[in-house]
C-alpha cells in the first residue's frame, strides 16, 4: 500500500511538472470559461443557470479525452512499460496512479469554475452542492475511464489526437452544453447519448442525480474498466 | 556445480523464421557470463527469454534467484527525478536502497534533474541503479556501458566486479569485446541461432590456434613476428637485435584480441 500511495503522490507531482497536462486540465478549460462564459451569458442570460455545469463538462471532457490519454501513451506506448515490467512495478499501477492524479486535477479545475462563475458572470450555484459534487465525481470518473481506454488502445502519439477529437468534439457539440439538445436533429441527439458528456450534463443539473441518469455512465465505466483490464493483460503478455 | 541459470534446448521463432535453434548453456552462481554475437545472432532474444519478457516455442529455462534487469532500450516518465524513481522502485520491491551503490553510480548528484534532462550515460547509470534496487541475485545487463565516457565506463566496471565479489551472478550482452574480455569469466558466442563457442576467452584463443605475435619498436622502425615458440623466438630476436646494435624502444607480445577471435570464428562458421 505504501508503494501505491507513494506512486500516486509522485504522479501528482509529475503531472504538475508536465506542462502538457496543466494546459489541458487547467489553462485551456479556464481560458475557454473566461471567454465563453461572458459570451454565453450575454447572448442568452438563461445560461447563467447552467453555466457552471456547461463549463465544467467542457473542461473535464478536455482533460479526460485530450490530455489524459497522452500521458498514458507516454507510458504504455513506450519503453517505460518494459522498465516497470522488469523492475517489479505492476502494469496497472501507471494507469491507476495517472487516473487518480488527473481526477484530482480535474476536480480542482471544476472547483475554480464553481467559485469564479458567480462572481465573474453572475452564474447560479447548484442548489444541492453535495449532490452536484457526487454527479461531478461520477462524470469525471466515467470520462477518465473512456480516456483510459483511448490511451491504452491507441499506442501511437501521432494517431491519438485524431481519435481523441472523435470523442471530444461530439461530446461537446451534441451534449447540450453548447446548443439545446431539443434543437438538434433526432439522429444527432441520439448519437449524443452515446457520449458521457450528455449524461454528465443531465446528472449535474439540479435534481438530475437520479438512477435514470446514472445507469448509462455506470455501464460505460464498467465497460471501459473491463476493456482496460483486457488491454493491460494483453500488454503484459507481449 | 550450482547453476544460477540453466538454458536447455531453447527454440524461438518469429513467424516462420527460426531465431533460436536449440540453445543450451548453464551460468554458474557468482560468475560473469557474456552473450556475444553479431546483430541478428539471437543474443537479445535469448536474453529476453531468460528475463521472462519473451515466450519461446521449445526448451527449458531455469533461473535460480531474484532477477535485476537493465534493458538496452529503456525509458522513464520525462519529469521523474532519479531519486524519486529509485524510491518508487524500491518501495514496489519492498527493499532498502543501498546508498553506497547509488553513490558509486553518481545518482545523488542527479537529484535536481528530471529524466528528460539526463544524458545517455546518466540514464544508463540510473537504469542500472533501478535494476539493483530489489537486491537481485542475478543481474542482466544489456550493453551496460553504451554511451558512457571512459571514466564512467571504468567506474561501472569496478562496480560490476564489486557485485561479483558480493556473490551476484551477472549476465552481460555487449558489443564491446574489450569490456567482455576484461570482465567476464565465461562467454557464449551465438551465430544464426546456435552456439558456436562456449568457454573462457583463453579457451577461445586456444581453439582458434593463434600464434604469438611479437611487436618490436626500434630506432629503425616497427616490426611484427608470428611464432609458435615464444621463448626461443624472443631470445633469438633479442640476440639478433643486440648483435646489430639496435636499441629497443618498445616490445609487446599478444595472442590476438577477443574481437579478432570472435570475428574469425563467426567468419569460419559462415564459410
Amino acid at each position: 500500500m505504501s508503494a501505491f500511495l507513494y506512486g500516486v503522490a509522485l504522479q501528482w507531482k509529475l503531472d504538475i511538472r508536465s506542462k502538457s497536462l496543466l494546459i489541458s486540465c487547467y489553462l485551456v478549460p479556464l481560458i475557454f470559461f473566461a471567454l465563453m462564459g461572458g459570451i454565453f451569458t450575454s447572448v442568452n442570460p438563461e445560461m447563467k443557470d447552467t453555466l457552471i455545469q456547461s463549463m465544467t463538462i467542457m473542461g473535464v471532457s478536455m482533460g479526460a479525452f485530450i490530455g489524459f490519454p497522452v500521458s498514458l501513451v507516454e507510458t504504455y506506448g513506450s519503453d517505460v512499460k518494459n522498465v516497470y515490467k522488469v523492475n517489479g512495478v505492476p502494469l496497472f499501477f501507471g494507469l491507476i496512479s495517472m487516473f487518480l492524479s488527473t481526477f484530482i486535477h480535474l476536480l480542482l479545475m471544476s472547483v475554480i469554475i464553481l467559485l469564479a462563475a458567480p462572481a465573474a458572470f453572475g452564474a447560479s450555484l447548484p442548489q444541492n452542492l453535495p449532490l452536484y459534487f457526487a454527479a461531478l465525481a461520477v462524470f469525471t470518473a466515467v470520462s477518465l475511464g473512456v480516456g483510459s481506454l483511448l490511451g491504452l488502445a491507441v499506442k501511437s502519439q501521432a494517431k491519438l489526437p485524431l481519435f481523441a477529437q472523435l470523442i471530444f468534439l461530439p461530446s461537446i457539440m451534441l451534449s447540450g452544453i453548447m446548443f439545446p439538445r431539443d434543437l438538434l436533429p433526432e439522429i444527432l441527439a441520439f448519437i449524443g447519448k452515446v457520449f458521457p458528456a450528455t449524461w454528465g450534463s443531465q446528472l449535474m443539473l439540479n435534481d438530475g442525480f437520479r438512477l435514470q441518469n446514472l445507469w448509462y455512465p455506470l455501464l460505460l465505466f464498467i465497460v471501459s474498466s473491463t476493456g482496460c483490464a483486457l488491454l493491460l493483460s494483453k500488454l503484459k503478455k507481449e | 556445480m550450482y547453476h544460477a541459470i540453466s538454458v536447455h534446448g531453447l527454440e524461438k521463432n518469429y513467424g516462420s523464421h527460426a531465431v533460436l535453434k536449440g540453445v543450451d548453456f548453464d551460468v554458474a552462481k557468482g560468475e560473469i557470463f557474456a552473450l556475444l554475437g553479431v546483430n541478428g545472432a539471437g543474443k537479445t532474444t535469448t536474453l529476453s527469454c531468460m528475463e521472462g519478457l519473451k515466450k519461446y516455442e521449445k526448451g527449458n529455462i531455469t533461473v535460480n534467484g531474484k532477477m535485476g534487469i537493465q534493458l538496452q532500450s529503456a525509458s522513464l516518465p520525462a519529469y521523474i527525478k532519479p531519486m524519486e524513481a529509485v524510491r518508487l522502485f524500491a518501495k514496489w520491491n519492498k527493499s532498502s536502497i543501498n546508498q553506497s551503490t547509488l553513490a558509486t553510480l553518481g545518482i545523488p548528484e542527479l537529484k535536481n534533474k528530471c529524466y528528460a534532462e539526463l544524458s545517455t550515460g546518466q540514464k544508463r547509470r540510473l537504469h542500472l541503479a533501478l535494476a539493483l534496487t530489489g537486491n537481485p541475485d542475478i543481474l542482466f545487463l544489456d550493453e551496460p556501458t553504451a554511451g558512457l565516457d571512459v571514466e564512467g565506463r571504468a567506474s561501472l566496471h569496478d562496480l560490476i566486479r564489486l557485485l561479483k565479489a558480493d556473490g551476484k551472478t551477472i549476465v552481460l550482452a555487449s558489443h564491446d569485446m574489450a569490456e567482455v574480455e576484461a570482465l567476464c569469466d565465461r562467454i557464449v558466442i551465438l551465430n544464426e541461432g546456435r552456439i558456436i563457442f562456449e568457454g573462457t576467452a583463453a579457451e577461445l584463443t586456444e581453439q582458434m590456434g593463434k600464434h604469438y605475435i611479437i611487436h618490436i619498436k626500434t630506432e629503425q622502425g616497427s616490426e611484427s613476428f608470428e611464432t609458435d615458440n615464444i621463448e626461443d623466438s624472443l631470445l633469438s630476436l633479442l640476440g639478433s637485435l643486440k648483435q646489430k646494435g639496435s636499441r629497443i624502444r618498445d616490445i609487446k607480445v599478444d595472442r590476438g584480441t577477443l574481437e579478432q577471435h570472435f570475428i574469425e570464428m563467426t567468419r569460419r562458421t559462415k564459410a
Side-chain angles (χ1 to χ4, degrees):
Chain A
M1 196 60 186
S2 147
F4 181 77
L5 291 178
Y6 176 79
V8 173
L10 179 60
Q11 186 60 48
W12 163 260
K13 277 202 266 181
L14 298 188
D15 285 344
I16 290 171
R17 285 178 204 156
S18 155
K19 288 166 188 67
S20 61
L21 203 83
L22 285 183
I23 288 170
S24 59
C25 284
Y26 292 97
L27 198 63
V28 177
L30 292 176
I31 289 176
F32 184 86
F33 160 69
L35 293 174
M36 298 307 285
I39 296 170
F40 278 7
T41 47
S42 307
V43 171
N44 180 6
E46 281 183 23
M47 285 288 284
K48 287 179 182 175
D49 295 337
T50 57
L51 184 73
I52 290 173
Q53 289 86 343
S54 303
M55 294 295 116
T56 302
I57 284 166
M58 190 275 168
V60 169
S61 298
M62 168 157 274
F65 304 142
I66 307 283
F68 177 56
V70 175
S71 307
L72 286 177
V73 171
E74 279 168 5
T75 296
Y76 291 99
S78 72
D79 292 323
V80 176
K81 74 166 187 298
N82 290 334
V83 174
Y84 279 8
K85 232 171 162 178
V86 300
N87 286 294
V89 181
L91 272 186
F92 68 80
F93 161 74
L95 173 65
I96 295 180
S97 64
M98 282 186 239
F99 183 103
L100 291 175
S101 169
T102 314
F103 183 89
I104 296 167
H105 282 297
L106 290 176
L107 282 191
L108 283 178
M109 179 271 297
S110 304
V111 168
I112 295 171
I113 290 176
L114 182 85
L115 295 176
F121 306 115
S124 314
L125 279 173
Q127 286 170 0
N128 187 328
L129 279 177
L131 277 186
Y132 170 78
F133 276 108
L136 172 63
V138 170
F139 170 63
T140 308
V142 174
S143 299
L144 286 172
V146 174
S148 304
L149 205 54
L150 189 66
L152 292 179
V154 184
K155 290 178 196 162
S156 153
Q157 295 251 24
K159 289 179 190 162
L160 187 62
L162 172 73
F163 286 98
Q165 291 297 344
L166 281 177
I167 298 178
F168 176 70
L169 285 177
S171 293
I172 299 309
M173 305 306 278
L174 308 178
S175 62
I177 64 171
M178 301 285 273
F179 323 103
R181 291 187 69 240
D182 307 342
L183 300 179
L184 291 172
E186 211 170 299
I187 179 74
L188 291 181
F190 177 77
I191 292 171
K193 294 214 87 173
V194 174
F195 298 95
T198 306
W199 298 83
S201 67
Q202 288 170 3
L203 265 180
M204 288 160 69
L205 289 174
N206 292 330
D207 299 327
F209 198 77
R210 295 172 184 181
L211 191 61
Q212 68 196 62
N213 294 329
L214 261 174
W215 72 270
Y216 183 78
L218 294 178
L219 178 70
L220 201 56
F221 187 72
I222 292 167
V223 169
S224 53
S225 303
T226 310
C228 289
L230 291 173
L231 286 168
L232 282 178
S233 139
K234 196 179 152 205
L235 277 174
K236 199 178 171 186
K237 287 176 193 161
E238 272 176 12
Chain B
M1 186 194 283
Y2 175 66
H3 292 136
I5 303 168
S6 290
V7 177
H8 293 294
L10 185 63
E11 290 183 25
K12 165 82 185 163
N13 302 328
Y14 288 130
S16 59
H17 177 60
V19 184
L20 300 177
K21 304 164 186 169
V23 171
D24 293 275
F25 62 84
D26 296 309
V27 181
K29 186 180 180 293
E31 77 174 344
I32 305 182
F33 182 88
L35 275 172
L36 302 179
V38 293
N39 288 339
K43 58 182 190 305
T44 301
T45 305
T46 307
L47 211 57
S48 301
C49 290
M50 287 194 284
E51 291 164 351
L53 292 174
K54 277 199 169 94
K55 288 184 175 173
Y56 43 93
E57 275 73 37
K58 265 189 180 175
N60 262 320
I61 298 177
T62 311
V63 178
N64 296 310
K66 193 174 181 189
M67 293 190 286
I69 300 167
Q70 185 209 20
L71 298 168
Q72 187 184 355
S73 179
S75 187
L76 284 173
Y79 294 97
I80 200 165
K81 291 182 178 175
M83 283 309 292
E84 290 171 341
V86 170
R87 267 182 226 118
L88 176 70
F89 284 57
K91 279 182 185 285
W92 275 110
N93 284 292
K94 294 187 175 64
S95 59
S96 55
I97 304 165
N98 186 329
Q99 294 297 338
S100 83
T101 306
L102 291 180
T104 307
L105 288 165
I107 304 301
E109 297 153 25
L110 309 173
K111 65 180 178 184
N112 293 323
K113 283 188 172 182
C114 289
Y115 183 75
E117 297 167 335
L118 301 180
S119 68
T120 309
Q122 289 169 333
K123 284 178 182 168
R124 286 218 165 262
R125 276 158 39 197
L126 174 59
H127 284 289
L128 179 57
L130 295 178
L132 289 166
T133 50
N135 193 22
D137 307 303
I138 304 164
L139 199 57
F140 291 92
L141 306 177
D142 200 350
E143 301 289 347
T145 54
L148 292 187
D149 56 20
V150 178
E151 204 180 322
R153 191 176 289 240
S155 74
L156 193 65
H157 285 179
D158 289 343
L159 178 68
I160 291 173
R161 289 189 189 100
L162 276 175
L163 292 169
K164 176 187 157 70
D166 200 28
K168 297 200 189 302
T169 306
I170 297 158
V171 179
L172 196 82
S174 176
H175 279 107
D176 185 339
M177 298 293 162
E179 173 172 286
V180 170
E181 200 165 14
L183 287 175
C184 297
D185 299 309
R186 283 194 316 126
I187 56 177
V188 146
I189 300 180
L190 280 162
N191 193 42
E192 295 178 354
R194 287 195 173 88
I195 290 180
I196 56 171
F197 174 81
E198 183 181 354
T200 63
E203 284 165 354
L204 178 62
T205 306
E206 287 300 325
Q207 194 171 321
M208 298 309 291
K210 270 279 163 195
H211 302 295
Y212 290 93
I213 305 165
I214 304 166
H215 305 274
I216 284 201
K217 196 173 177 185
T218 61
E219 286 165 330
Q220 281 74 41
S222 299
E223 276 188 282
S224 294
F225 305 91
E226 282 195 28
T227 177
D228 285 326
N229 187 335
I230 184 69
E231 192 177 358
D232 290 351
S233 302
L234 203 53
L235 288 171
S236 112
L237 194 62
L238 292 173
S240 133
L241 287 172
K242 194 175 181 183
Q243 257 184 352
K244 285 184 201 166
S246 301
R247 293 180 69 90
I248 298 170
R249 290 200 167 155
D250 193 16
I251 186 160
K252 199 168 81 182
V253 179
D254 75 45
R255 299 191 71 189
T257 61
L258 178 62
E259 187 168 359
Q260 288 165 335
H261 301 325
F262 169 75
I263 292 167
E264 200 171 323
M265 175 156 268
T266 46
R267 201 177 285 153
R268 274 189 206 176
T269 315
K270 274 181 186 163

